[in-house]
Amino acid sequence: MTETMAESLTADEIENVRVVVRVRPLDKIEEESNCENIVRCDIITRSIIVHKPNTPGPPKCYYFDNVFGENSSQIDLYVDTARPIVDKVLEGYNGTILAYGQTGTGKTYTMSGNPDSLQTKGIIPNTFAHIFGHIAKAKDNQKFLVRVSYMEIYNEEVRDLLAKDHNKNLEVKERADIGVFVKDLSGYVVHNADDLDNIMKLGNKNRVVGATKMNVESSRSHAIFSITVESSEMDMTGAQHVKMGKLQLVDLAGSERQSKTQATGIRLKEATKINLSLSVLGNVISALVDGKSTHIPYRNSKLTRLLQDSLGGNSKTVMCATISPADSNYVETISTLRYASRAKSIQNRTHINEEPKDALLRHFQEEIAALKKQLEDGLFDPGSGEELDDIENEEDVDIEDEENDDDEKKDKRKKNNKEKADAEKELLEKKALENEQELNKTKTEQEQLRAKLKSLETKILVGGENLLEKAQAQEKLLENSIAELEMREKTEEMLRETLQKKETERIDIEERYSTLQEENIGKTKKLQRVMQMLMAAKEELSDQQQEHQREKESIYDSIRSLSRELALCELVLNSYIPKEYQSMIEQHTHWNEDIGEWQLKCVAYTGNNMRKHVPEKKISAKESEFVDLSHVYLSYNTESVSNAVRSKSAVRPRTSGVPRPTTLVKKY
Ligand code: ADP
Ligand code: MG
């Protein structure tokens, strides 16, 4: 995979994606409909045990890096799962926290939580308190710059949740020096934890919320909240060293199959696309863990392009899979656990991002130094004063000469002098006015410079400054929980060891049979256990077959709906474009693997573009036909053509001034 940040001075660290699972409590509806709790969370062995409803067979067991039961607190989850990642981001590593799971299982609760109380705040607000708590404790030779952006991917379109126009579709781009990025995505520099809190709330308000039958509050979009922390430290020689860590906090859309949500119409179309990006995410995970794949299909969806570094790249990543304990969700729960299990094997290579090309901190610091110099230089301006002195001296000389002349000459000279003096006075007054204006202009310029300097200086945070304000209590809560968690982890580790010892002892006892009968009993037990394992394996196999069948059916569904779209496009094409032009278009189009779109070669030399450059040239009937068609070629995008047909505005003649589809034009 490509190196996206500046060359690292240290060797890459290789580590697996960490996967934790969180089970939420049974909700009101599940309780009222007498749903059975079929999930058990074993904290000691860090496993999730799921009983298949109405089946006597052995339960399924999945092991993870950690598991959180229905009574787990937000703080516990933060301290174990997010805190280590945020600590690394503050050191200059990239970090990603992903919430994956069925709608209504607690992804948004885990990521954002309920902001009303300290205990119920989710990972995102807790990171704010953590980051600014760290800055408050840092040394004062360290400078920080914290900026955020918030976007969502909805229907394979990227939207800026913090922009004024949050419905605009943004482009995903890639550059060799900084990697994949979203063009024109707004970034806000934040000064304290409360700023961040307000920005998160604003973005959440702008999220697309689809009321599906499963959960009225559920979102059908993937939301990515990014926090970039840049830090600079001065070494002994006075040189500044900049590091940059980027934290991506991702609340994915529901992973369930569309039939369960009973989505229809537009919702069905959305669901196909949501499932598309999630299934590409699944394919990326499969390709990464399989070890044999040479091609990882990151480019097949916007989500996977943006998460390219998080999965298999330069990022410390943790996935939090959320599940429901209810028997009614058994199939989705197992599917989530399998998905999460696979993700455990993804390996990432991470390093500190040193002297990154897209860091703003150095740029701001340089600008501050330049502004300060400019202000110092502008504080005294000797030019105007000198000019005034010169004129005064000149007048003195004239008065001395005057005493030596006769009366007539004197009068004439007097008159002349008076006129001269008047003119000079006028000039002087004009100059004085100009000087005053100049002075005022300089003053306002200096004020502007000072304001700019102040605004730049407030952007840069100095280590040791307390910027927590209201978030102080949150940071304290986090701090206190660390010690508590360490204690708990020690106890759990001890219990784990004891359990392991007992297990080996049990096996030892079984091995030492004193009589044939004992041996018989022991071996029968062993046989029973092996039989149980065989049954479980068979059950797993049949479950997997069923899941594959369901997946196959959903793929067939997508194929059917795509075929319908294709038939419509063909109809439009055949109705408006003659056959010979169709084959010409085919000859001149190519698939751009980088952006996942069809492109027309030499589009700059066709149609409206040509007309724009040579307005005086008369266009022949044949050319005119070609120009008309070029508009159609440019719209050759299944989505835009079919949408346009539905809105009855498609393929109008060129002369009507229909604007060109901008997405294609921009690329040429
Ligand atoms: P999702 O984002 O996965 O669709 P939500 O986060 O909206 O799900 O959760 C659905 C509901 O369940 C919400 O009312 C939320 O408050 C509640 N909930 C989720 N997880 C928990 C939990 N661990 N403890 C208590 N309530 C939870
Ligand atoms: Mg949600």
Side-chain angles (χ1 to χ4, degrees), residues 75-323:
I75 303 287
D76 280 353
L77 188 108
Y78 184 81
V79 172
D80 173 85
T81 307
R83 192 165 185 104
I85 300 265
V86 180
D87 277 334
K88 288 290 176 187
V89 169
L90 291 163
E91 282 176 35
Y93 289 90
N94 292 336
T96 309
I97 302 169
L98 286 159
Y100 176 90
Q102 183 189 0
T103 296
T105 51
K107 294 183 299 296
T108 307
Y109 181 80
T110 300
M111 295 310 291
S112 301
N114 178 355
D116 298 339
S117 87
L118 297 183
Q119 271 75 18
T120 53
K121 284 191 179 193
I123 288 175
I124 301 179
N126 278 328
T127 55
F128 305 163
H130 183 172
I131 289 170
F132 285 97
H134 171 88
I135 295 176
K137 279 178 235 138
K139 285 182 251 135
D140 65 0
N141 68 338
Q142 268 190 301
K143 304 265 188 314
F144 295 88
L145 188 114
V146 185
R147 56 196 161 103
V148 288
S149 61
Y150 198 5
M151 67 181 128
E152 79 172 343
I153 305 171
Y154 180 73
N155 249 338
E156 283 302 292
E157 286 178 359
V158 181
R159 294 174 192 190
D160 187 344
L161 291 173
L162 302 179
K164 276 192 195 114
D165 176 13
H166 53 264
N167 289 320
K168 205 172 138 199
N169 182 11
L170 302 181
E171 277 179 88
V172 178
K173 298 245 170 192
E174 190 163 356
R175 239 174 58 187
D177 55 347
I178 58 166
V180 179
F181 66 100
V182 177
K183 195 173 164 241
D184 297 330
L185 181 72
S186 52
Y188 282 88
V189 172
V190 281
H191 308 108
N192 53 49
D194 304 324
D195 274 3
L196 268 172
D197 232 17
N198 293 335
I199 285 180
M200 179 189 74
K201 282 180 194 153
L202 172 80
N204 284 346
K205 248 196 244 163
N206 292 338
R207 274 191 78 176
V208 173
V209 173
T212 64
K213 214 180 171 188
M214 283 206 71
N215 181 355
V216 248
E217 293 233 327
S218 100
S219 174
R220 308 294 307 155
S221 67
H222 312 281
I224 305 179
F225 193 99
S226 307
I227 310 177
T228 308
V229 184
E230 293 175 31
S231 63
S232 80
E233 198 167 353
M234 211 185 283
D235 68 9
M236 308 283 263
T237 63
Q240 294 271 3
H241 296 282
V242 178
K243 290 177 197 164
M244 183 168 91
K246 188 172 177 187
L247 177 64
Q248 304 231 70
L249 302 159
V250 191
D251 183 357
L252 293 168
S255 59
E256 65 280 356
R257 264 167 242 293
Q258 62 209 44
S259 56
K260 187 117 195 189
T261 60
Q262 300 194 354
T264 50
I266 288 177
R267 292 262 173 272
L268 182 86
K269 219 173 154 209
E270 279 174 20
T272 327
K273 283 203 172 165
I274 288 160
N275 281 351
L276 173 106
S277 62
L278 275 181
S279 68
V280 174
L281 185 68
N283 297 343
V284 165
I285 294 174
S286 299
L288 283 168
V289 297
D290 145 22
K292 281 177 248 148
S293 303
T294 46
H295 173 71
I296 314 292
Y298 291 113
R299 292 183 186 282
N300 292 3
S301 83
K302 297 260 162 72
L303 179 74
T304 46
R305 280 195 84 185
L306 290 167
L307 295 183
Q308 194 160 332
D309 255 338
S310 310
L311 301 162
N314 173 25
S315 171
K316 309 242 172 213
T317 301
V318 60
M319 177 190 270
C320 179
T322 55
I323 54 170

